[in-house]
Amino acid sequence: MKAALDEIVKQRLSAGAAVPGFTCYGADTALAVVETAEHLRVPVILLVAPSTAGADNGPRLIRTLRSIADDAAVPVCVQLDHAKDEDVIRRGIDAGVDAVLADGSHLAPEHNAQFVHHVKEFAAAAGVVVEAELGSVPGAEDRSTDAAIDTSGKTDPDTVGEFLEASGAQLLACGVGNVHGRYRGKPDLDWPRLAAIRAQAGEVPLVLHGASGLPTSDLQVLAAAGVGKVNVNTELRTAMLAAIEHNILACRSAGEDMLSLTDLVAKAATGVTRDVLTTLAGE
Ligand SMILES: [Zn+2]
């Protein structure tokens, strides 16, 4: 069922859990993610990468995810992720997203706030929730490259209050040693910084991108630290690719040529989704 992103995140935070967003490059992934969330009776977010949304078929995929979300027995949000381009944001909203990450993290904080505020004006008119990112999260969202932990991009807690007031952002993604893609070396989240950001953010829930590769012990305590939304891309994508590769090789060596791609994707996506959902609930 359709849901407001900020509301479901706040509801889950009050229950001591975070809501995961899974990047969907096609309907197969979204179907598996939503079905798993229904089994566990928890809300979930379907993320659309800007490269996907900006492609010719982008609006068509968003409308497909919209239909899957509306049909679900649990609250499901469709969110356009990391959108820097106003045209892509407007196309995403026209196609039916519930939320957008208006990503001005590459800009100076005051210009970032202006960009988010501008997006919020037309997004709010369409009932669309706006997330912002302050500081930067290193690495590439769509590729599993190793990303060094770049401390220079960490969010400065002293800028958070002013940024939220100027931008009107309803959720805040922050950089606290998290990276997109695979972590080079051992992840080392800056918990004191996260606590300082939370103190400045007030009622605005925090978001952590780059959850793939974080140890279970970190994921389990994110909600207690004020992180109500977690983005998962690499873990889901690499699990599906590995399942396809493994099964193709197994089929070839057995001399068979029948392979159900739908089953493979569903099984791999379901396994990762179940693991992430139960871990974020502290289980
Ligand atoms: Zn991200």
Side-chain angles (χ1 to χ4, degrees), residues 47 81-82 101 103 131 133 137 141 173 180 208-210 231:
L47 297 172
D81 200 13
H82 282 292
L101 165 53
D103 187 356
E131 175 183 335
E133 181 170 304
V137 180
E141 187 87 9
H180 290 124
L208 193 88
H209 291 227
N231 282 22

Side-chain angles (χ1 to χ4, degrees), residues 36-52:
T36 310
E38 285 176 327
H39 285 152
L40 296 170
R41 299 175 192 226
V42 291
V44 77
I45 302 154
L46 306 177
L47 297 172
V48 182
S51 55
T52 313

Side-chain angles (χ1 to χ4, degrees), residues 51-199:
S51 55
T52 313
D56 288 346
N57 267 331
R60 191 173 287 157
L61 175 65
I62 290 169
R63 285 193 291 274
T64 304
L65 301 187
R66 167 85 274 134
S67 161
I68 293 169
D70 289 344
D71 191 56
V74 292
V76 179
C77 280
V78 180
Q79 182 181 21
L80 174 58
D81 200 13
H82 282 292
K84 295 182 167 75
D85 185 309
E86 184 177 333
D87 286 344
V88 174
I89 295 173
R90 287 186 181 276
R91 286 210 309 161
I93 290 174
D94 287 346
V97 297
D98 298 296
V100 58
L101 165 53
D103 187 356
S105 61
H106 54 294
L107 305 170
E110 61 271 29
H111 292 131
N112 184 355
Q114 283 168 9
F115 172 65
V116 175
H117 184 263
H118 171 62
V119 169
K120 185 151 178 226
E121 281 181 329
F122 61 83
V128 169
V129 172
V130 176
E131 175 183 335
E133 181 170 304
L134 183 62
S136 65
V137 180
E141 187 87 9
D142 281 342
R143 291 190 302 277
S144 298
T145 48
D146 288 358
I149 296 158
D150 176 5
T151 52
S152 66
K154 284 185 182 178
T155 306
D156 178 357
D158 291 340
T159 62
V160 168
E162 194 179 332
F163 176 79
L164 288 175
E165 197 169 326
S167 66
Q170 290 149 289
L171 297 106
L172 182 69
C174 48
V176 288
N178 43 315
V179 305
H180 290 124
R182 282 194 298 260
Y183 285 77
R184 188 185 299 158
K186 196 167 166 283
D188 184 19
L189 293 188
D190 188 339
W191 297 99
R193 183 179 297 266
L194 188 57
I197 294 168
R198 183 193 194 183

